[in-house]
Amino acid sequence: MRIPVGRREQRERMLRSPWWRGGGALLAGALPALTFPAPSLWWFAYVALVPWLLLIRSAGTARRAALDGWLGGTGYLLAVHQWLMPSLHVFIVVLAALLGLLWAPWGLLVSRMLGGAPSVTTAAAAVIVVPSGWLIIELARSWEGLGGPWGLLGASQWQVPAALRVASVGAVWLVSLLVVAVNTAVLLLLTPGARAAAAVAIVVCALTVGAIWTWAPQPEQSGVARIGVVQPGVVSGPNSVALRFARSEQLTRTLAGRDVDLVVWGESSVGQDLSRRPDLTARIAKLSREVGADVLVNEDARHTGTSGRTGIFKSAVLVGPDGPTGDRYDKMRLVPFGEYIPARSVLGWVTSVGKAAGEDRLRGTRQVVMSVPEPPRTDGFTRSPTEVPAPEHTLRIGPLVCFESAFPDMSRRLTRDGAQLLIAQSSTSTFQHTWAPEQHASLGALRAAENGRPMVHATLTGISTAYGPQGRRVGTPLGTDTSGAAVFDVPLASGSTLYVRLGDWPVYGALAALAAFCAYEGGRSLRRRNPVERVGAVGPKAEVRGP
């Protein structure tokens, strides 16, 4: 359909206006946020970048393309992290604008590959190079100091079985690559002269997913673990820590007689150092005896770590019928501004405008795989509390705390170290009525699929849930409006996924593609420059000799 001349001129004027264009870039960059929970419009991810790509392609200059990339990246981060606004207030805008600069080079890349009328060769290369550029941005901002890998585009596909199978081969990185590749191909379908290459690219993406679905190795079920999750719900007031502990006790007792293998409490479920509070330790040990299973709690308290440092740690602590088993994991990756202030001497003022950490938490030094003994038998005999179970009668668990479940490499390390079950202890209490709880819980599906190991996501206030080794949800989750306990029959699995074996190979492939592109562009620039230099050196001499 042909656009009327008047409307076309009006659109062109708006695109030339820096204000209209800037606002359009912010909005276009924010659109992909609709693909994540809570909206969960996962299908929209495959076209959500097209308006942003179209805007960048229309940039008349490299400077404008970089600006469109930066503003779009800022809009993307603001939309995906909008639940942080009550905590960081206006500072979230500053952070988004700074991190949005990562998309400025991507804007230049998009303009170079998709601007004008790309040839068939350029169009085919764009389907590789543009997604590779996006993936390197995701890698860069996945560094803990820049906020961690929250809102990676591939994570929007957490409930799509085919995408979860792709994640088992190349983690969330490979899913992101394919999603951006489809967006790029859709844009090229709108470009005369590049439609054939775009159609071929879409077919190749579909065949790749089909091949992975057919041939990628999958874990084999090797048993079932019954995991009890305790979610006390929102507890407020001046004595909230003690009240939450008491509520968790009450809920844990409801699991007695249900043959659970392990009980899991959420992040910061214990506000005291158990080594200094024998009364609290005794209460949890009593619960373990009543339920017939160890209890994995989470301390948010001051204590002296294994490195000899004293400060506030967030720690997963395993407590059995006789007290702490000795298995303890201190959280290694902390939430910037939430649990520590980067460069506090410079940015400490943030605590005056938001709910940033008043005191920095300390980090653990290594990941830990814990061994949970076999629970009491149901054939009329029970194991003595002092009996040491054989290795084959233990469940090996890999704990993660809070947003550590967003890091693919941490779950992979635990799996390679022998974890049979991944467990994330989280809170998200501060963000109870936002998209954050659902976004956080959805990450468990990806980590489970990537590693071929089930994952339990236990929280204080929801959403608590569990996923099988292929990333599919197990049982009924505990929502943010629930205070209760649930038992999840989690299927265990043996075997290894390709991601566990090969690691982050899509990232290295993207780096190689960008390196090849830069080498080609550099050589092309040199070839264009050399003839000009020769003409400049020879031409004047010929003119002098001529007369």
Side-chain angles (χ1 to χ4, degrees):
M1 184 178 69
R2 182 172 297 180
I3 301 175
V5 175
R7 288 178 57 189
R8 189 187 310 152
E9 291 177 350
Q10 182 182 11
R11 185 188 64 179
E12 291 175 355
R13 283 197 301 269
M14 291 176 65
L15 288 175
R16 287 193 298 268
S17 167
W19 295 105
W20 279 105
R21 190 180 183 95
L26 283 168
L27 180 60
L31 285 178
L34 297 175
T35 66
F36 295 94
S40 286
L41 303 178
W42 63 266
W43 50 268
F44 183 55
Y46 297 94
V47 294
L49 294 178
V50 173
W52 189 5
L53 293 172
L54 281 169
L55 189 67
I56 296 174
R57 189 175 72 167
S58 69
T61 64
R63 181 176 178 273
R64 184 70 244 184
L67 186 60
D68 290 341
W70 170 48
L71 291 174
T74 302
Y76 180 81
L77 293 173
L78 281 174
V80 173
H81 296 85
Q82 45 83 20
W83 44 272
L84 282 172
M85 290 182 183
S87 296
L88 296 181
H89 301 298
V90 71
F91 193 65
I92 186 61
V93 179
V94 177
L95 288 176
L98 290 174
L99 292 177
L101 290 170
L102 292 170
W103 275 270
W106 188 71
L108 294 173
L109 184 66
V110 170
S111 179
R112 166 66 184 87
M113 300 302 296
L114 301 176
S119 65
V120 173
T121 303
T122 301
V127 179
I128 299 173
V129 175
V130 171
S132 296
W134 180 279
L135 189 63
I136 298 311
I137 295 171
E138 291 198 335
L139 176 68
R141 73 183 187 87
S142 293
W143 178 48
E144 174 200 342
L146 293 181
W150 191 283
L152 303 184
L153 192 57
S156 65
Q157 306 302 293
W158 66 277
Q159 55 188 328
V160 182
L164 292 172
R165 188 72 64 90
V166 170
S168 74
V169 173
V172 67
W173 311 120
L174 185 56
V175 183
S176 286
L177 271 177
L178 288 173
V179 170
V180 182
V182 171
N183 275 272
T184 307
V186 169
L187 175 68
L188 291 170
L189 284 175
L190 306 176
T191 307
R195 289 169 181 158
V200 170
I202 291 175
V203 171
V204 169
C205 288
L207 291 175
T208 299
V209 174
I212 290 173
W213 182 272
T214 304
W215 289 300
Q218 288 296 293
E220 298 180 3
Q221 186 167 338
S222 59
V224 175
R226 288 178 61 81
I227 308 300
V229 173
V230 171
Q231 180 178 295
V234 177
V235 179
S236 57
N239 201 26
S240 60
V241 174
L243 292 173
R244 182 186 300 119
F245 189 97
R247 178 61 176 156
S248 298
E249 278 184 301
Q250 179 186 6
L251 292 171
T252 302
R253 289 193 176 95
T254 67
L255 299 174
R258 300 185 65 179
D259 293 326
V260 295
D261 299 324
L262 175 70
V263 178
V264 184
W265 290 10
E267 177 189 9
S268 304
S269 49
V270 178
Q272 303 290 330
D273 179 7
L274 291 178
S275 65
R276 299 182 181 179
R277 290 294 303 271
D279 56 325
L280 297 181
T281 302
R283 288 164 67 179
I284 300 173
K286 183 181 178 183
L287 288 174
S288 176
R289 292 191 296 271
E290 292 176 1
V291 175
D294 287 0
V295 182
L296 184 69
V297 301
N298 189 276
E299 288 183 7
D300 187 357
R302 188 179 304 277
H303 80 274
T304 301
T306 55
S307 63
R309 296 172 302 159
T310 299
I312 300 176
F313 289 84
K314 285 195 173 182
S315 309
V317 180
L318 191 62
V319 181
D322 299 321
T325 65
D327 285 324
R328 180 189 192 97
Y329 166 65
D330 295 330
K331 184 179 182 182
M332 295 174 61
R333 295 184 182 172
L334 305 177
V335 180
F337 300 100
E339 294 172 336
Y340 78 103
I341 305 294
R344 182 176 285 272
S345 59
V346 177
L347 300 176
W349 57 270
V350 177
T351 57
S352 64
V353 297
K355 299 176 182 178
E359 178 181 349
D360 291 349
R361 268 56 174 173
L362 299 185
R363 306 170 188 272
T365 56
R366 64 184 181 89
Q367 291 188 260
V368 175
V369 174
M370 302 178 180
S371 295
V372 177
E374 180 186 25
R377 296 165 60 181
T378 58
D379 55 1
F381 300 90
T382 57
R383 189 182 67 246
S384 167
T386 59
E387 179 184 345
V388 179
E392 63 269 21
H393 297 303
T394 60
L395 175 65
R396 292 175 61 77
I397 63 172
L400 299 163
V401 182
C402 191
F403 91 141
E404 288 182 332
S405 65
F407 293 86
D409 65 301
M410 296 195 75
S411 298
R412 177 173 179 258
R413 168 58 62 187
L414 290 171
T415 302
R416 290 174 65 88
D417 287 346
Q420 299 169 282
L421 171 66
L422 303 172
I423 296 177
Q425 295 175 300
S426 180
S427 173
T428 62
S429 303
T430 307
F431 314 107
Q432 188 71 359
H433 301 292
T434 69
W435 294 355
E438 292 181 78
Q439 285 187 20
H440 200 176
S442 70
L443 296 175
L446 288 157
R447 303 294 88 83
E450 288 167 353
N451 298 282
R453 295 293 181 268
M455 185 163 195
V456 172
H457 183 80
T459 74
L460 292 181
T461 59
I463 296 172
S464 297
T465 189
Y467 301 93
Q470 294 182 330
R472 297 175 184 174
R473 181 165 267 165
V474 174
T476 303
L478 295 173
T480 54
D481 58 347
T482 302
S483 174
V487 176
F488 296 100
D489 290 319
V490 181
L492 302 177
S494 60
S496 180
T497 64
L498 287 177
Y499 172 64
V500 172
R501 299 177 200 172
L502 303 177
D504 300 323
W505 64 268
V507 172
Y508 304 127
L511 287 169
L514 289 176
F517 169 75
C518 291
Y520 172 78
E521 287 293 300
R524 187 164 170 262
S525 177
L526 287 174
R527 286 193 299 272
R528 281 202 306 261
R529 188 183 307 130
N530 286 340
V532 175
E533 291 177 352
R534 285 197 297 270
V535 169
V538 177
K541 292 182 180 179
E543 292 176 0
V544 170
R545 288 197 302 267

